[in-house]
Amino acid sequence: MKYIITSLFLCIGFAVMAQNNPSVSVKIDTTNIKIGEQVAYTISTPNHKKVIFPKLENLDSLVVAEEFTVDTIQDRLYKKYLITGFDSGAFYIKKQQVFIDSKAYFTDSLLINVATIPVDTVKLAKYYAVKGLEKEDYTLAEWWYRIKNYVYVGLAVIAFMVGLYFLFRNKKEPVKVKKVVIPPYIEATKELKNLEQKQLWQNNKVKEYYSELTDIVRKYIGNELLVQALETTTEELMSLLINENKQQKLGLDKDTLENLRDLLSQADFVKFAKQKPIEMEIKAHQSNASRIIETIHKLVESKKQEVKDDEQQ
């Protein structure tokens, strides 16, 4: 009686476990394939609300060729994969994990044999046997069909060469465009007008204004007297200009030289010492810049006229 009761409890326990553990099964349509062939691998579970099928892993040398969507047949779910292999041998598809209602279950592992494809070398040798070359006699039309492409290419090359010959034979000398040189005085006068129209110092850009103003004066002196005026300090330029005044006998008076020194020095204070002159001083320096350019221009033109007069005599 004691054994009967024990057996009854065991049966009831197994029945409860069978109800709590869903049936997860796996099957393949064949266990033997050749290299490159595909085998269908299917996982089946009960139709629960939440089932997560695996991304096949641990396939050894096998490869998942295609993965299908889940199918529902009656009360079960089916997930199908196509698996193939490109190396010969026996390979295991290890246990795969399936989640059913957030619980993990495992499939059985399966063995797949992948065999190489035998090659019948005897048939290949017969099929690809080299036949002896047979001589054929061609008609004139057949010969033309064979060589016409070469003839057309040859004619095209000849036409191209002839075209090049006539092209370069009739080619005229290119027209040389003379570069218009603007006299330094006209260029400086125009730049002063443009600077005035910018209204830099009126818009609180005093540093930029003095920088452009002195650059115009320096460039004019350099171009008109043929001296290096842009890349020199104030003292270097003044010393150079005093020497040129003596050598060329320009006749620059002391006031012009002092006005130039004052303009360049004031620009240095503005640019490097951040000094800000008042409106009256700015207008005075603008007027001095125009007067300096005008004075040097008149002296240079007078000097040129003297040279012409001497040459005519």
Side-chain angles (χ1 to χ4, degrees), residues 201-264:
W201 67 267
Q202 293 91 334
N203 291 292
N204 204 28
K205 296 181 180 180
V206 179
K207 181 178 179 180
E208 290 85 345
Y209 172 78
Y210 271 92
S211 179
E212 290 193 30
L213 181 64
T214 52
D215 282 347
I216 293 171
V217 175
R218 283 173 175 270
K219 186 170 70 171
Y220 169 73
I221 293 173
N223 293 337
E224 192 72 271
L225 302 181
L226 302 179
V227 295
Q228 183 64 34
L230 285 175
E231 302 299 330
T232 57
T233 64
T234 297
E235 291 303 322
E236 289 173 344
L237 178 58
M238 292 306 302
S239 177
L240 183 64
L241 192 57
I242 290 171
N243 290 334
E244 288 295 321
N245 190 33
K246 292 179 180 179
Q247 292 178 5
Q248 298 186 31
K249 297 180 180 179
L250 297 175
L252 284 173
D253 58 85
K254 184 179 179 181
D255 290 341
T256 301
L257 293 173
E258 286 301 322
N259 288 336
L260 177 60
R261 183 189 295 274
D262 178 66
L263 172 62
L264 297 177

Side-chain angles (χ1 to χ4, degrees), residues 148 182 190 192 197 210 227 253 277 298:
K148 65 178 182 179
I182 302 175
K190 183 178 180 181
L192 286 175
Q197 291 176 357
Y210 271 92
V227 295
D253 58 85
K298 288 180 179 180

Side-chain angles (χ1 to χ4, degrees), residues 106-160:
F106 291 90
T107 65
D108 293 331
S109 58
L110 297 174
L111 179 67
I112 296 180
N113 296 303
V114 182
T116 57
I117 301 174
V119 180
D120 192 340
T121 56
V122 176
K123 289 184 178 180
L124 286 176
K126 290 181 179 179
Y127 184 79
Y128 291 104
V130 180
K131 297 181 179 180
L133 298 176
E134 296 180 0
K135 294 183 178 180
E136 297 182 3
D137 295 328
Y138 298 111
T139 63
L140 183 61
E142 290 174 335
W143 274 109
W144 170 247
Y145 179 77
R146 287 175 174 271
I147 68 172
K148 65 178 182 179
N149 291 334
Y150 299 102
V151 174
Y152 292 151
V153 173
L155 293 175
V157 172
I158 293 172
F160 178 72

